[in-house]
Amino acid sequence: MQLHNKLFCAADLHKEALAGATSIKFANVSMFVYDTNDIVSNQLRGAQHTWESSEINEMLWALRQHQAVQQLAAQQGKAPGPAVPLMVDVGANIGWFTLNAAAARARVVAFEGLGPKSSNCLMISGNDNQGDGFTKCDEGKDYKAPDGYAVRGEMTTRRLDTLLAEDVLFMKMDVEGYEQQVLEGATALLKEHNVWYIMAECNTGMIGEERGKQFIKFMHSQGYATSPFGFKGPFWSDADVQSACPEWPPSSSGQAVLAAQRAKARLNVFTELTLEEHNAVFKFLLAQKDLGLSDLTAVNLTVADVRISYVHGIWYEMPPKSEVLAHIDKKAAMPARKARALLVLGKSSPPTVREVLVTLKAGTDGKPVASNLQRVNIHSSKWPEVPYNQRPHGVMDQVGQVIALTKVYEQLNAFIGAAFPGYSYGESCEPKCIGDNYGAYQWLSDDIQRAIYIWFFMPEAAEGDGGYIHPLPLQVLAAGRNDDLTSWEVTRWWFNGHFFDTINDLIRAWNADKDGMRSGFRMLRPAGAAKLFSNFMQRPGPRRGEQQPVGPISLEPYGRRFSIAQGNRVKWLGWELCVGYLPHYGPRYMDVRFKGERIAYEISMQEALASYGASDLSQANTVYLDSHWGIGASVRELVQGIDCPMTAAYMDAVTFYKGSSKANYHKNAICVFEHNPDTPVLRHYSYSYQFYGAIPGASLVVRMVSEINNYDYIADLILSNDGMLEVKVVTSGYVQAAAFQNSYRKNFGYPLMFNISGTLHTHVLAWKVDLDIAGTSNSVNIHHMKVGEADDGAGGKIYINKYEAEIAETENEAAYQTMMLEPKLPVVINENKLNGFGSPRGYKVQLNRPLLNLEPPGYARSKALGFMKYSFAATKHKDGEAHSSSIYGQARLSNPSTSLTDYVDGEPLRNQDVVVWVNSGLYHIPVAEDAPVTTTTGNMLGFSLVPFNWANESPATDMADMVQIDTKNKEVPAVKKAVAALNCAPGFADVPFLESGFESA
């Protein structure tokens, strides 16, 4: 206790040296911490100089409520309490909470040694954690401490009632399982005075499940609302406290944040647009008569008036980064809330595509009000407008396709009847119909500025699915000239390996049996059970796992360890972030923090590319930029227990895209869950020194799944308890199939069914990572992996691994394509912030599956694929360079409004606000196992952010379940204690699926 006494009582701490102690400074306070053998001191001496930062923030929030509780006391007819807020620290340890409260100008009373009665006690603590003790009372002078522990001093305990008789604004209790006993010794204080906020440890791993429940029930009996997440809730109800296993949210809903709560939730600077805000913006835009916008759901379109003006998309406009940081870091006012809208102005002269900003404010009734239309450049571009023929795909293209096929309808039907007897196309085709679908579309020339590839399929070839993998060997190119819809026509035909300019050319070749085209044509269709190849219906025959159809299910013995607050802010084991999405680009995660420090300002998907290869018409010309089709707008409802585990919490999404004329509400589109990776994050078994040490792994997953026509992208953000962050996307869904040709086996793919093949395609996903390591002044340190030479000790030469570290001075030096023969390891560092050993603090950017771009340099259509040029690129942050791809690039690959290649322009990069751009990809050669859909296993893309001298030791070493087992210490792992104490069956909230039916297209 000697060091504790000096810490609490010595004057001029910053001048007086103490043996065995080190002085640290924070805010306007200096304090001493132990040099060794104390967990709290070890953490405070580290680079972060912090301990339990989220709990400290909760305390500071409570202290800021002083004026509010004084007003509440006055309303209740009670005395307002002390003029200066009082903080009581019960179990003060070395005084971290005490001094933080004092720095916040609170009056502080700190205690060690409180109980339900007065006693003579010994203070005991472990030799490896001397500052964290427990008491033994009325044991006598002959008491001996257990092995590995020592008696630190003697003291007399007192009831808190005998020491305090005034209002307390905030009380913190951490007394190693004796919290309830302390409060039982303060019943008079609780009855006669206000103790407004109490933060107490309730470690059921230490005191057991039953005592933990008793403590919570005791707090409820004293009139307190309790929450495992903080003073702002959500709170346990009495029913939750009585239930067998902790559960949050209540079993009545699977939502992490209930709909009623969301409606009342206070918007923060990162909150995506609400349903009401989308509707307010759309209504406001329709009212702007000079724009001439139409509601597509309220007009009857004809060929004559189909060139209309409408709202294609609406999304939240993130304010400039400097304004956001001033708000969240320096408490400046929240920036104005704005929405960006994409307008297709077909009625204007000339027709064009424009983007505008609309300001949103709360009206007198609390509902959002839109105002102040502002014309702006196209997002992430200097373009004031987009050429009309680069507009996003919409109703005009669908009408153009119909016009083109209508012009050849009779000849097309005649050919279909000849090639596929009994089948027909178009109206009145029942019962055997041929369907059509469209793939990519693009600009071909100054004359043909809008063209789309159409393929035909036979939907009745199988049972219970769509037509994605039932293609016929018939494809066409429909094209329009200039802006004239009536000019649309079919300009190219392909049938079973043969190309034709017109349908008449095709029919003549068929009738003449040119090159055996007719006599050699056979369509083998599946029959019987084989027809199930493309769906998820049960196959006949034995089924694996029939007697045990469900495997292991996760449970949370102490309830959820994560929380989801207003604005979709997720917190878990020192991690914090805001979860969001853009309708076009997909998920974005803002203000990502670990242990109180911002690691990244933004991590967001930028593009999902699928580029095909084949010798036909459609597949060979298919390049999908899925941002154009709406990655975020394609999120769908998730299924509990399959898409997400039973323990997951859910969030909804709201998007307005593809000219929908109303906001789409995507229920349960995002899930959050803790995942046990079943691999220790740290581990060692020492045979030589006879010990075992480990820290169990733990991860938090934020998941959303986008279904873009035939493909599914399962996008995860994975946070680890050791400070690592992983972004992972796995692919599934139907391949875009083609008619199989024997030559494909050597070049493009293998058959999925008799006449059906997928074809080789490339998946590439691109991300933006705006890292802020210990601030916004960062650099990129690239470690070039090399081979060096060394002496073998006997005069011989050996080759060794080494690296050459080089800090990039310019953007060009920090942009490269990964090459197997020139491996590089990039690290974003803060040169001015060092860890305890003098190394710049940083995070490594680990590319998990970089893809080499095989297209020839200078290829015109690669301009829109600029994000593929570099596996890794770093640029200086600019608000105008927010995205690495363009939704307008799909319509003209050679002329996108945005390309990453334009950002890498030689600007100075060292000690700048660094933004990293990465991509990850895979080559998919379709095979028989891709039916019915592609498997998720093995199809993973992504990258990781890994601490790199960011701390002084593994950030996981403060985990409560760290264990060391040796010959003297037979410590039982925390998980085994939890299972042994588990006297309940887990209960899972039921999350219904399809209550409102499937989403409409």
Side-chain angles (χ1 to χ4, degrees):
M1 289 297 294
Q2 181 181 10
L3 184 57
H4 278 74
N5 291 337
K6 287 186 178 181
L7 285 174
F8 280 90
C9 303
D12 291 332
L13 291 180
H14 62 287
K15 296 179 180 179
E16 180 181 340
L18 289 177
T22 299
S23 175
I24 67 168
K25 294 182 180 181
F26 68 95
N28 58 344
V29 176
S30 299
M31 72 177 291
F32 283 111
V33 298
Y34 290 105
D35 280 341
T36 58
N37 297 333
D38 182 65
I39 292 175
V40 178
S41 297
N42 293 346
Q43 199 67 25
L44 292 176
R45 289 197 318 274
Q48 293 85 19
H49 288 334
T50 189
W51 170 256
E52 294 187 340
S53 57
S54 59
E55 288 82 355
I56 291 291
N57 289 334
E58 288 290 325
M59 177 186 73
L60 297 177
W61 179 89
L63 294 176
R64 292 195 295 270
Q65 310 310 305
H66 181 54
Q67 185 175 359
V69 300
Q70 283 186 313
Q71 294 173 351
L72 180 60
Q75 293 171 4
Q76 295 174 346
K78 299 178 182 179
V84 178
L86 174 62
M87 181 270 196
V88 176
D89 193 350
V90 181
N93 200 288
I94 62 173
W96 176 242
F97 277 81
T98 291
L99 295 177
N100 269 278
R105 302 186 182 278
R107 185 164 58 96
V108 185
V109 180
F111 296 101
E112 289 282 359
L114 295 173
K117 63 178 183 178
S118 297
S119 301
N120 294 317
C121 302
L122 303 175
M123 175 62 77
I124 302 163
S125 68
N127 295 333
D128 60 349
N129 194 14
Q130 55 185 319
D132 189 13
F134 62 91
T135 57
K136 282 286 186 179
C137 299
D138 301 326
E139 291 285 347
K141 295 184 178 180
D142 296 331
Y143 175 80
K144 292 185 178 180
D147 290 345
Y149 291 80
V151 175
R152 306 297 176 184
E154 300 181 17
M155 63 183 180
T156 301
T157 65
R158 295 285 184 269
R159 284 175 60 93
L160 190 55
D161 278 347
T162 65
L163 302 170
L164 279 178
E166 60 178 303
D167 281 5
V168 177
L169 179 58
F170 173 83
M171 179 187 292
K172 167 247 173 183
M173 292 194 301
D174 186 354
V175 286
E176 303 304 305
Y178 291 94
E179 287 78 11
Q180 184 170 340
Q181 287 89 328
V182 169
L183 289 177
E184 288 172 347
T187 51
L189 176 68
L190 296 175
K191 181 177 180 181
E192 299 171 11
H193 299 278
N194 291 315
V195 181
W196 292 99
Y197 297 98
I198 298 176
M199 178 188 291
E201 183 181 49
C202 182
N203 187 344
T204 53
M206 176 185 297
I207 65 177
E209 194 80 22
E210 191 57 37
R211 278 185 60 193
K213 294 176 186 176
Q214 291 175 0
F215 180 40
I216 301 299
K217 291 177 184 177
F218 172 79
M219 296 303 299
H220 279 230
S221 72
Q222 299 299 312
Y224 285 90
T226 60
S227 170
F229 305 110
F231 291 123
K232 296 182 283 296
F235 299 98
W236 277 322
S237 67
D238 289 337
D240 293 325
V241 176
Q242 301 297 331
S243 66
C245 288
E247 183 180 300
W248 182 86
S251 58
S252 60
S253 173
Q255 292 294 322
V257 181
L258 306 183
Q261 294 173 324
R262 279 194 295 273
K264 300 176 182 178
R266 183 179 178 183
L267 302 177
N268 66 40
V269 72
F270 299 117
T271 307
E272 305 293 356
L273 296 181
T274 66
L275 181 66
E276 293 77 12
E277 286 179 318
H278 277 104
N279 292 337
V281 172
F282 183 59
K283 182 179 179 180
F284 171 76
L285 291 171
L286 290 183
Q288 309 307 303
K289 301 302 182 184
D290 57 321
L291 294 175
L293 299 169
S294 297
D295 180 345
L296 293 182
T297 62
V299 294
N300 294 317
L301 301 177
T302 66
V303 173
D305 63 5
V306 76
R307 186 191 289 170
I308 61 173
S309 298
Y310 65 96
V311 181
H312 183 84
I314 299 171
W315 60 90
Y316 177 52
E317 176 77 356
M318 194 66 67
K321 182 178 179 179
S322 59
E323 295 182 18
V324 174
L325 294 184
H327 169 61
I328 62 177
D329 292 343
K330 300 178 181 179
K331 309 306 177 185
M334 190 167 91
R337 192 163 171 82
K338 296 182 179 181
R340 182 179 285 261
L342 191 166
L343 311 180
V344 177
L345 302 178
K347 286 185 177 179
S348 67
S349 183
T352 188
V353 178
R354 187 180 301 166
E355 293 181 10
V356 297
L357 293 181
V358 176
T359 302
L360 285 160
K361 294 182 179 179
T364 55
D365 58 356
K367 295 181 179 179
V369 175
S371 63
N372 188 30
L373 183 73
Q374 178 185 357
R375 187 169 169 177
V376 290
N377 282 346
I378 299 304
H379 68 280
S380 302
S381 171
K382 296 178 181 179
W383 288 13
E385 293 183 337
V386 173
Y388 185 65
N389 279 309
Q390 285 188 238
R391 65 188 181 274
H393 184 269
V395 64
M396 289 80 71
D397 300 288
Q398 295 166 342
V399 173
Q401 294 167 219
V402 172
I403 292 172
L405 291 172
T406 299
K407 291 179 178 179
V408 293
Y409 177 73
E410 291 185 5
Q411 299 100 311
L412 174 59
N413 244 327
F415 176 75
I416 287 176
F420 313 106
Y423 286 83
S424 59
Y425 170 75
E427 296 183 4
S428 305
C429 64
E430 299 292 346
K432 293 185 176 182
C433 292
I434 297 297
D436 68 69
N437 207 335
Y438 56 85
Y441 70 98
Q442 52 196 261
W443 182 96
L444 295 181
S445 66
D446 289 335
D447 183 43
I448 301 178
Q449 299 183 10
R450 199 80 170 178
I452 193 159
Y453 298 91
I454 301 171
W455 49 277
F456 296 86
F457 64 91
M458 188 177 288
E460 290 188 358
E463 304 287 346
D465 67 349
Y468 294 117
I469 56 175
H470 306 294
L472 297 174
L474 178 63
Q475 302 168 5
V476 302
L477 173 63
R481 288 173 170 78
N482 300 318
D483 302 326
D484 184 4
L485 274 173
T486 61
S487 71
W488 276 73
E489 60 183 356
V490 177
T491 61
R492 194 73 165 154
W493 295 78
W494 178 88
F495 175 76
N496 202 31
H498 303 273
F499 288 89
F500 304 95
D501 290 330
T502 69
I503 181 64
N504 291 328
D505 292 340
L506 169 57
I507 292 173
R508 279 193 293 269
W510 172 268
N511 291 335
D513 197 20
K514 183 180 179 181
D515 299 325
M517 178 177 155
R518 175 166 48 82
S519 59
F521 178 63
R522 294 290 184 272
M523 278 287 294
L524 298 176
R525 294 199 293 269
K531 295 178 69 174
L532 302 175
F533 85 101
S534 59
N535 63 41
F536 291 89
M537 295 180 182
Q538 288 285 0
R539 273 62 170 163
R543 300 172 188 173
R544 286 181 297 156
E546 190 165 10
Q547 301 302 316
Q548 299 167 300
V550 177
I553 298 175
S554 298
L555 65 91
E556 297 165 317
Y558 306 124
R560 286 189 180 143
R561 298 198 290 182
F562 66 89
S563 65
I564 305 175
Q566 293 176 346
N568 285 359
R569 187 158 190 87
V570 176
K571 298 182 180 181
W572 172 77
L573 294 184
W575 283 100
E576 294 185 39
L577 73 154
C578 288
V579 178
Y581 46 84
L582 283 168
H584 35 359
Y585 296 112
R588 63 175 170 182
Y589 313 101
M590 305 298 299
D591 195 27
V592 182
R593 300 174 183 240
F594 182 56
K595 294 190 175 183
E597 290 194 47
R598 183 178 300 111
I599 303 300
Y601 174 74
E602 176 184 357
I603 301 173
S604 57
M605 188 183 290
Q606 298 294 301
E607 191 57 87
L609 164 84
S611 179
Y612 289 73
S615 58
D616 61 7
L617 182 62
S618 178
Q619 298 283 93
N621 287 279
T622 293
V623 178
Y624 289 125
L625 296 177
D626 282 333
S627 67
H628 176 96
W629 305 95
I631 300 170
S634 299
V635 293
R636 301 288 182 253
E637 186 175 359
L638 301 169
V639 178
Q640 184 186 30
I642 300 178
D643 293 323
C644 311
M646 296 297 295
T647 52
Y650 294 81
M651 293 181 274
D652 301 333
V654 183
T655 63
F656 188 117
Y657 203 60
K658 303 180 182 177
S660 57
S661 293
K662 67 174 182 178
N664 288 306
Y665 184 82
H666 311 278
K667 181 181 178 182
N668 295 348
I670 306 168
C671 71
V672 183
F673 57 92
E674 185 168 352
H675 170 64
N676 180 357
D678 293 318
T679 301
V681 70
L682 299 178
R683 181 204 187 272
H684 183 64
Y685 181 112
S686 176
Y687 172 80
S688 301
Y689 296 97
Q690 300 289 291
F691 77 90
Y692 170 87
I695 301 175
S699 301
L700 188 81
V701 180
V702 180
R703 174 171 294 168
M704 56 186 82
V705 181
S706 296
E707 170 265 320
I708 307 176
N709 296 319
N710 56 308
Y711 246 88
D712 298 59
Y713 293 101
I714 304 172
D716 288 351
L717 178 77
I718 305 172
L719 308 174
S720 174
N721 60 343
D722 67 344
M724 190 186 85
L725 179 155
E726 181 183 2
V727 172
K728 183 179 77 172
V729 175
V730 294
T731 61
S732 188
Y734 287 102
V735 298
Q736 179 173 294
F740 176 69
Q741 301 176 65
N742 283 326
S743 61
Y744 278 13
R745 292 183 193 271
K746 290 185 177 181
N747 300 112
F748 300 117
Y750 297 86
L752 309 178
M753 184 44 72
F754 302 118
N755 301 300
I756 300 167
S757 171
T759 61
L760 170 67
H761 52 283
T762 303
H763 287 288
V764 177
L765 274 73
W767 287 273
K768 172 186 180 181
V769 187
D770 185 347
L771 288 163
D772 287 348
I773 306 301
T776 56
S777 178
N778 289 173
S779 303
V780 179
N781 191 15
I782 301 177
H783 298 68
H784 301 264
M785 299 299 141
K786 301 287 185 179
V787 174
E789 296 181 359
D791 193 302
D792 66 358
K797 181 176 68 174
I798 58 174
Y799 293 101
I800 58 172
N801 295 325
K802 72 171 189 176
Y803 66 81
E804 295 176 0
E806 181 181 17
I807 295 179
E809 297 289 345
T810 68
E811 294 175 338
N812 297 75
E813 295 175 12
Y816 59 84
Q817 179 71 259
T818 296
M819 306 292 286
M820 292 298 292
L821 296 179
E822 298 179 9
K824 300 178 177 68
L825 195 156
V827 182
V828 176
I829 62 172
N830 190 319
E831 296 185 66
N832 302 309
K833 301 290 184 179
L834 310 180
N835 71 358
F837 311 112
S839 301
R841 300 180 65 205
Y843 256 73
K844 174 177 65 174
V845 181
Q846 184 169 297
L847 306 176
N848 294 340
R849 201 165 186 171
L851 186 80
L852 180 65
N853 185 2
L854 298 177
E855 291 182 338
Y859 180 42
R861 295 206 309 181
S862 289
K863 180 66 174 176
L865 314 184
F867 56 87
M868 285 183 63
K869 182 175 181 179
Y870 311 107
S871 304
F872 176 95
T875 63
K876 179 180 177 181
H877 174 272
K878 295 178 182 177
D879 291 316
E881 295 181 353
H883 301 287
S884 63
S885 186
S886 165
I887 63 174
Y888 303 108
Q890 177 74 79
R892 190 173 180 182
L893 296 171
S894 60
N895 186 42
S897 63
T898 302
S899 180
L900 179 59
T901 54
D902 296 331
Y903 298 174
V904 182
D905 54 6
E907 288 192 73
L909 190 63
R910 193 165 184 171
N911 296 316
Q912 300 291 332
D913 189 354
V914 172
V915 176
V916 169
W917 311 89
V918 298
N919 73 53
S920 178
L922 61 86
Y923 300 111
H924 184 182
I925 300 176
V927 294
E929 289 83 0
D930 284 312
V933 298
T934 63
T935 177
T936 59
T937 54
N939 289 329
M940 185 275 289
L941 306 101
F943 66 94
S944 301
L945 302 176
V946 185
F948 197 95
N949 294 317
W950 183 81
N952 293 332
E953 61 177 349
S954 169
T957 53
D958 62 353
M959 289 298 298
D961 54 355
M962 180 166 63
V963 62
Q964 176 159 324
I965 303 171
D966 53 43
T967 55
K968 294 182 179 180
N969 176 26
K970 304 296 186 180
E971 185 175 355
V972 178
V975 64
K976 298 187 73 172
K977 294 178 184 178
V979 172
L982 195 65
N983 58 1
C984 64
F988 301 107
D990 180 37
V991 183
F993 181 62
L994 292 183
E995 279 190 316
S996 303
F998 282 99
E999 286 189 33
S1000 59

